[in-house]
Amino acid sequence: MIRHPLKLEPIFKEKIWGGRNLERILGKPLPPDVAIGESWEVSEHGEDVSRVCEGPFTGRDLRELRDAFGEALVGILGLRTASDRFPLLIKFIDAQDRLSVQVHPDDAYALGHEGDLGKTEAWYVVWAKPGAKLVSGFSGETGLEEVRQAVEEERLEDLLAWVPVSEGDVIFLPSGTLHALGEGIVVYEVQESSDVTYRLYDWGRGRELHVERALDVLTYKPTELPKTRGLSVEEAGGYRTFLVACRYFALERLEVFSEMAGECDGRSFHAISVVEGEGILIYGEGSLKFAKGETFLLPADLGPYRLEGRFVSLLSFVPEVSEDVVRPLKEAGYGPDEIRSVLRG
């Protein structure tokens, strides 16, 4: 058993398009004089493995703990999703400048060509400057040769679908979707545990491109339902908003005014990142204080818990979609079309 919450130390990534907004918006203690583009909050990918920074498991990393505790940490559903690694990679991204236009392969292609998983992911917009926008797919139906020619002639921008975004928007990006964050956006990202990215276009910055593999895996039809704001359910002490769910992950927004109950019942861990305010976690054997910008992981066998305070957090886990998403939304009175707006993939 591993019935203690795990507060995790972030892994900061310097990027040419990064900045200091993770410090300004989320209060993260960034290293000085460095443009930080990403903060990996929960990771067991390659050499980037999250380490516990508080409590009885301080100093131990997520790989050690998964090897030691297995199902008790990740849950039955987590093991089904990925038996050889922690199933999700969770990060914050600061796009001070535009990211490259890129695409991720599906699992079959990535395993065959890269020896890694593919990547389906979702973004929650934590902050965006006025007029901010991002790329999600193509503006119209296109094809391989038209896209190849546009890349060669450095006019791919003409084919892109630009989506205006503001705080609270959610973008679901299944594998094969061309995408890019525009400048002036901070997002929370939940994804499969993979770092396979094919860069198709980079705004003339001269970095390596992966054109042929990108063309192999692209979805050439326009993206349907590029963004959502989810469906909210009022609970005692706050609101739970179901943002997006697919077979790899579910993402919820918890807005807590006083307290809210939860439970890790053995099926999946709960990963919680705080984006506003502060509070305290009450669980069977104790309590844990948390504040804006921090992430903590609740093991699958933690049992019932309670969140107290005034804060907004994002909760990611591996779902049983019909039970964890469809049932509570039906009980709240949402109809089939509304529920489908949350379910993806």
Side-chain angles (χ1 to χ4, degrees):
M1 296 187 296
I2 181 172
R3 292 188 172 173
H4 294 275
L6 308 172
K7 187 178 283 188
L8 301 175
E9 183 178 335
I11 302 168
F12 296 126
K13 301 278 190 175
E14 184 177 2
K15 301 288 183 180
I16 62 170
W17 39 260
R20 307 292 299 182
N21 279 327
L22 297 183
E23 185 174 64
R24 184 175 68 85
I25 303 298
L26 292 171
K28 286 190 166 292
L30 302 184
D33 305 318
V34 179
I36 297 297
E38 298 181 353
S39 175
W40 288 26
E41 301 292 296
V42 181
S43 172
E44 194 209 326
H45 188 272
E47 297 181 358
D48 293 306
V49 182
S50 298
R51 192 171 296 276
V52 180
C53 61
E54 187 173 320
F57 295 100
T58 296
R60 299 184 68 177
D61 68 38
L62 196 54
R63 184 168 292 142
E64 290 179 75
L65 294 172
R66 184 182 57 80
D67 287 343
F69 296 102
E71 185 179 307
L73 175 64
V74 302
I76 298 169
L77 300 176
L79 280 180
R80 287 181 191 170
T81 302
S83 60
D84 64 339
R85 67 189 76 183
F86 194 82
L88 300 182
L89 198 164
I90 295 168
K91 62 179 77 167
F92 287 109
I93 301 175
D94 173 15
Q96 184 75 15
D97 196 2
R98 292 179 292 187
L99 274 66
S100 64
V101 182
Q102 57 190 241
V103 65
H104 307 301
D106 63 17
D107 291 343
Y109 189 96
L111 287 168
H113 292 79
E114 312 291 347
D116 201 351
L117 293 177
K119 192 194 292 190
T120 287
E121 61 189 1
W123 290 331
Y124 173 88
V125 180
V126 175
W127 172 85
K129 71 177 186 180
K133 55 186 179 179
L134 53 78
V135 173
S136 179
F138 295 104
S139 58
E141 192 156 343
T142 184
L144 185 150
E145 290 306 324
E146 183 180 11
V147 173
R148 186 199 303 277
Q149 186 174 353
V151 171
E152 291 172 353
E153 296 174 358
E154 298 187 355
R155 54 174 184 82
L156 185 66
E157 297 172 54
D158 298 342
L159 304 181
L160 302 178
W162 287 93
V163 180
V165 292
S166 57
E167 181 181 334
D169 285 337
V170 177
I171 310 292
F172 179 67
L173 299 165
S175 58
T177 304
L178 197 66
H179 60 279
L181 283 170
E183 61 186 75
I185 304 174
V186 172
V187 300
Y188 167 99
E189 178 178 289
V190 55
Q191 57 165 87
E192 292 181 76
S193 182
S194 169
D195 201 28
V196 179
T197 297
Y198 298 144
R199 195 182 294 135
L200 184 62
Y201 191 71
D202 198 32
W203 317 105
R205 286 185 285 217
R207 293 186 295 172
E208 180 186 5
L209 301 179
H210 317 94
V211 175
E212 294 307 316
R213 290 201 171 179
L215 294 173
D216 276 352
V217 303
L218 275 173
T219 298
Y220 292 96
K221 294 181 179 180
T223 305
E224 296 182 8
L225 296 172
K227 69 180 181 180
T228 182
R229 295 188 73 87
L231 302 173
S232 293
V233 175
E234 186 173 5
E235 297 189 7
Y239 289 90
R240 182 183 302 270
T241 302
F242 294 78
L243 297 173
V244 66
C246 65
R247 66 190 180 97
Y248 299 110
F249 55 77
L251 175 59
E252 299 176 1
R253 179 182 187 270
L254 308 180
E255 184 174 8
V256 178
F257 305 131
S258 56
E259 64 178 52
M260 187 177 290
E263 183 177 7
C264 291
D265 60 4
R267 293 181 302 145
S268 175
F269 59 88
H270 286 180
I272 298 178
S273 295
V274 185
V275 295
E276 293 179 28
E278 59 185 19
I280 186 168
L281 166 74
I282 308 295
Y283 63 101
E285 298 180 16
S287 63
L288 176 74
K289 291 182 178 180
F290 56 82
K292 181 172 68 173
E294 294 182 331
T295 293
F296 53 97
L297 184 65
L298 306 183
D301 71 348
L302 183 73
Y305 64 85
R306 191 168 74 255
L307 300 166
E308 297 182 353
R310 291 186 67 87
F311 63 91
V312 175
S313 66
L314 299 168
L315 163 64
S316 291
F317 58 97
V318 179
E320 186 176 343
V321 172
S322 60
E323 182 67 18
D324 295 315
V325 183
V326 174
R327 182 185 57 78
L329 289 176
K330 281 184 175 179
E331 290 176 352
Y334 288 106
D337 291 342
E338 292 170 304
I339 293 173
R340 277 194 290 271
S341 71
V342 172
L343 305 181
R344 304 295 181 94

